DNA sequence: AATGAATGAGCCTTCATTCAT
DNA sequence: GATGAATGAAGGCTCATTCAT
């Protein structure tokens, strides 16, 4: 079983699942896309769902791996949050289709796949929460419900899959700067002498 | 055709579309839920998709209507953004199932429905953008790409449908406060004398 | 769901399963036979296997029911064994197709169906064994492994499904007489003064 | 093409056909069992059905060959019938899997194979019938429909494939004794002075 | 001798929708 | 208004067999 062909099939699946959705994509569609008979696909995959699973797994694993690396870096916490945002947004922008499949279609996974993806997704949220927590502990971030804050930031960043245009005018870097600025300092001007860290 | 029965069907559809997804919900499922035969449903609905459309339309229209009211209020812009956030989150929390159908399932709509929902969604983003724009114009918010900022805030707020638990420990109000605080002032402490509005 | 139509489908299934075998009969074949679309069959049946199960169940249940009645009769044990043989053979002959499905195709049943049919089949053997046992206890039959004897008799009688011809020259009654005679007294002449019951 | 490998494949097929049935056994299953790829099997066999045919043919031929030898022996006819029963049962018991394939699966054979096996099977019945006939002619067996009697005896003996357990408590010899006793003298005690051969 | 990619027909089942009653 | 029988297209998947390498 040539790994090339499998990769080709997976790429076709990513494209189609993104365009039409998992349920609306038939195995026939995928076969057509790679120029095989429907039945021939099954030399490479064991089921349509397995394909979805592989895609989702690869996607969320990538996010986790990258964030873990960032967490291990020795930079201040503003910087770390910025890098996390930037990396996430860069990955989403560079892998719009795959990310869309992860965020929109993984819901169609049955057990035991659903749970596996859910756990990896939970882990990803944990990592973001840790970034906030460590920023608070270091006195760089304001105290508060760190998980909730992580959800706000992660939600905003994930939402990109719904509106980002690969050929649009905004680069991932530009978006990252604006987003990180909001998360760190907000959209409003601050009242002078306002929220200064206690010393 | 009793409007009551239609409403009952729509509620069943909302519940089922949320639980199993639009594609995985069969017309039979809906019929079972309301105690009718599959064929009888078609006295009330013209198609399964129409049901999805109605739900999505009602949902996004509600968001728009509420946000328009807020925009028309005469309060300062920090306050207005807070209210927008609070209202959105309250609505999501109070209508988790319907919001989930809007945000997760409306993608399955075919034309012309897809475009109609897309336009209402675009309009909703426009309203958020206007709130930011007006805050900037009033000197309360920092200048910048307002649409991008609106997308960040809206994304964070929409994402609630993925994690909010109706019977969980967090109230919509608590979440709103944390979220609005992040959007307005960020998670970080500010460097003293930092981003002060130019005078 | 008209019971008539179901019965018609079941009859078609019996005919086809007998002619071609369960696996070689497609749902399409059955649908063709009753003049429905393949999909329409599923208004009446829940699966192809359910059809096989129903047939097998009805068949073995009939055998059990009839044998239980005979066991309860008050006749001597030679007579009782004769009636059991006659009844079994008559039923096989009158329901060749259904019996063939039971004896040849029930093997294709998956769990939990396989076990259910197996238990009913075991029960049938138990009933035959009881007939032998009671004949022995009454001093009419020679002692010995009654279950083994039941298996010999039942095997001979079941085997009918392999060779009996509905339009052939032999009636069920003629066969019954020959078979019962063999089981009771054997094919050989007895050595004079031979196996006489102890007094 | 090594005959060894072919034999290995045939053995695997016997095992699988017996366990799962002919239709439920895939060529892949057989290939797995012998550690070849599916495609490689076709260096040894020309089709799945050919495999079934070979097995069935070998099995029924063995039965015929053995019975012919017995028929040629010079012993009295009670003895001859006993040996026929004993031999048949011993072969079934010693080759349960192969016999099961013959008796349960050969039905799946298409033409011309089906007819060939049928003829060999008919021939086997003829041999049994001859044993009865010759016993009658010799005055050892009671007159009557010899073919029918052969069918009774053969049916009982064939049925073993449905219940015999290789590791069970009953040896082929014990079964043979009980079976032959039934066929020769029946299960019942005889009325004194009863069926004595006319002199 | 062995592989493994590919075929193409066929399998059982589901389903949204229609319509006569 | 309600039924339930019927449709017909499509769905995911299996499989015996072929063949170039």
């Amino acid at each position: 079983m040539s790994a090339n062909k499998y990769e080709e099939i997976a790429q076709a699946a990513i494209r189609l699942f993104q365009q039409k959705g998992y349920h609306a994509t038939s195995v026939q569609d995928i076969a057509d896309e790679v120029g095989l008979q429907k039945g021939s696909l099954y030399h490479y995959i064991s089921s349509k769902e397995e394909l979805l699973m592989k895609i989702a797994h690869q996607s969320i694993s990538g996010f986790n791996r990258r964030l873990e690396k960032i967490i291990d870096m020795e930079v201040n916490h503003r910087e770390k949050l910025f890098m996390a945002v930037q990396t996430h947004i860069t990955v989403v922008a560079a892998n719009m289709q795959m990310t869309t499949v992860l965020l929109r279609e993984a819901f169609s996974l049955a057990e035991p796949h659903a749970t596996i993806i859910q756990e990896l997704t939970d882990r990803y949220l944990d990592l973001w929460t840790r970034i906030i927590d460590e920023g608070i502990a270091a006195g760089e971030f304001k105290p508060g419900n760190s998980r909730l804050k992580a959800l706000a930031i992660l939600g905003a960043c994930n939402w990109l899959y719904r509106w980002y245009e690969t050929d649009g005018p905004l680069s991932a870097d530009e978006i990252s700067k604006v987003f990180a600025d909001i998360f760190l300092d907000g959209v409003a001007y601050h009242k002078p002498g306002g929220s200064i860290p206690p010393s």
Side-chain angles (χ1 to χ4, degrees), chain A:
Chain A
M1 173 177 112
S2 111
N4 262 6
K5 202 75 181 179
Y6 181 85
E7 198 48 39
E8 195 184 336
I9 291 167
Q11 288 305 323
I14 292 173
R15 221 175 308 133
L16 288 163
F17 290 169
Q18 187 270 143
Q19 269 165 36
K20 321 174 59 165
Y22 174 72
H23 277 114
T25 299
S26 71
V27 170
Q28 183 64 251
D29 290 335
I30 302 173
D32 289 349
E33 194 84 354
V34 298
L36 282 178
Q37 292 298 114
K38 204 171 26 160
S40 308
L41 268 196
Y42 287 82
H43 277 279
Y44 300 96
I45 67 173
S46 62
S47 73
K48 186 185 162 191
E49 196 189 345
E50 177 232 59
L51 219 33
L52 174 56
M53 178 58 181
K54 284 268 174 66
I55 296 166
H57 193 275
Q58 184 180 338
S59 181
I60 182 62
S61 298
F63 280 110
N64 272 313
R65 201 174 332 106
R66 280 183 176 85
L67 196 49
E68 278 158 7
K69 271 193 199 140
I70 287 169
I71 282 185
D72 288 342
M73 294 175 87
E74 303 206 347
V75 292
N76 68 49
H77 297 86
R78 285 184 71 94
E79 183 67 16
K80 194 172 277 192
L81 183 58
F82 172 75
M83 290 175 71
V85 168
Q86 187 186 40
T87 300
H88 184 103
I89 287 177
T90 301
V91 171
V92 171
N95 305 279
M96 268 298 278
Q97 295 184 322
M98 188 186 243
T99 305
T100 299
V101 174
L102 171 67
L103 295 180
R104 194 186 62 201
E105 305 298 334
F107 166 74
S108 293
L109 252 13
E111 295 305 345
H113 294 147
T115 296
I116 295 172
I117 296 300
Q118 187 55 56
E119 282 168 357
L120 288 168
T121 300
D122 289 349
R123 165 153 186 69
Y124 193 52
L125 175 61
D126 287 346
L127 295 175
W128 279 93
T129 305
R130 210 160 106 196
I131 291 179
I132 306 290
D133 273 331
E134 292 176 2
I136 293 171
E140 284 183 50
F141 296 168
K142 294 179 275 182
N145 186 329
S146 56
R147 188 170 164 276
L148 201 41
K149 293 181 182 186
L151 281 165
I153 295 171
L154 187 49
C157 291
N158 276 338
W159 201 251
L160 245 88
Y161 90 85
R162 298 278 290 239
W163 57 266
Y164 180 77
E165 295 167 282
T166 304
D167 301 323
L170 291 165
S171 74
D173 269 5
E174 288 171 290
I175 297 168
S176 303
K177 274 173 197 143
V178 171
F179 271 45
D181 184 51
I182 293 177
F183 303 143
L184 287 166
D185 296 317
V187 300
Y189 281 116
H190 312 131
K191 299 170 204 120
S195 47
I196 302 229
S199 56

